[in-house]
């Protein structure tokens, strides 16, 4: 049997049954996400932050979350990634971790002044990035997109190892 004979035995897919990458929802969501991330990541990098450390600072500063598990749930990353990020942020002087008062097995996280300063410096970048993306949509489209995206991750485990 020749190579040509082998190729003839493989069923040929019709054009309608082919997977079209650029028409897939996953590809379009990923592309939109990467475009949004690109601008913000560059700005956060100028502050010495990653998207993960930025989100953790927001969780602590803006949402008043102080327990690693609550921070992990808020950001949407797993506990291991959160612990690793908190350790590095503590080394960088952005946060402080303390044993719980009632239960020494628990850890409470507090934001330091240097972390608060980075939240203030980074917030205009995040607002600008959000406005840049939303300017491409009409008000009704923004609300619809939010609802559709929430519907897509409804009932899913959104805990990721990175954000």
């Amino acid at each position: 049997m020749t190579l040509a004979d082998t190729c003839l035995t493989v069923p040929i897919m019709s054009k309608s049954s082919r997977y079209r990458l650029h028409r897939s929802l996953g590809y379009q969501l990923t592309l939109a996400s990467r475009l949004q991330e690109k601008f913000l990541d560059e700005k956060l990098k100028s502050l010495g932050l990653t998207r993960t450390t930025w989100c953790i600072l927001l969780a602590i500063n803006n949402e008043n979350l102080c327990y690693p598990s609550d921070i992990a749930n808020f950001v949407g990353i797993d506990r291991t990634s959160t612990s690793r990020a908190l350790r590095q942020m503590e080394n960088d002087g952005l946060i402080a971790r303390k044993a719980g008062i009632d239960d020494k097995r628990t850890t409470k996280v507090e934001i330091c002044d240097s972390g608060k300063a980075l939240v203030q410096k980074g917030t205009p970048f995040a607002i600008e990035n959000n406005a840049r993306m939303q300017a491409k949509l009409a008000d009704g489209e923004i609300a619809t997109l939010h609802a559709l995206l929430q519907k897509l991750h409804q009932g899913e485990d959104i805990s990721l190892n990175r954000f």
Side-chain angles (χ1 to χ4, degrees):
M1 182 179 268
T2 68
L3 181 59
D5 294 333
T6 305
C7 290
L8 293 176
T9 62
V10 176
I12 297 174
M13 296 177 75
S14 70
K15 283 192 173 192
S16 63
S17 65
R18 289 185 186 160
Y19 182 78
R20 307 306 296 196
L21 177 64
H22 287 212
R23 298 184 86 192
S24 76
L25 182 60
Y27 178 82
Q28 293 298 325
L29 288 168
T30 299
L31 188 60
S33 177
R34 287 183 180 164
L35 288 170
Q36 185 274 335
E37 292 169 358
K38 182 181 175 186
F39 174 84
L40 186 59
D41 284 351
E42 289 172 5
K43 296 291 189 172
L44 292 175
K45 188 177 180 181
S46 73
L47 299 175
L49 297 173
T50 65
R51 236 174 319 115
T52 299
T53 55
W54 168 248
C55 292
I56 290 172
L57 287 174
L58 293 177
I60 301 165
N61 191 74
N62 295 5
E63 306 301 325
N64 298 315
L65 299 177
C66 61
Y67 296 106
S69 58
D70 293 338
I71 294 167
N73 290 336
F74 175 80
V75 175
I77 57 176
D78 61 40
R79 295 277 316 263
T80 303
S81 298
T82 303
S83 294
R84 186 174 32 251
L86 290 173
R87 188 171 31 260
Q88 184 60 51
M89 293 170 74
E90 186 175 36
N91 291 340
D92 293 343
L94 304 177
I95 58 122
R97 294 187 293 176
K98 299 179 180 173
I101 296 170
D102 297 330
D103 185 350
K104 299 292 182 193
R105 296 172 295 173
T106 62
T107 301
K108 286 187 81 172
V109 181
E110 296 176 357
I111 192 165
C112 297
D113 289 340
S114 58
K116 289 178 183 180
L118 288 176
V119 170
Q120 287 185 330
K121 289 178 184 176
T123 296
F125 299 151
I127 291 170
E128 179 185 359
N129 190 49
N130 194 49
R132 190 172 121 294
M133 294 297 282
Q134 286 190 0
K136 298 176 182 189
L137 302 171
D139 289 343
E141 290 174 323
I142 294 167
T144 299
L145 181 58
H146 275 281
L148 291 171
L149 291 172
Q150 288 174 352
K151 189 174 186 176
L152 285 176
H153 42 78
Q154 185 176 17
E156 300 289 340
D157 177 11
I158 61 168
S159 183
L160 307 168
N161 62 2
R162 69 179 183 87
F163 178 75

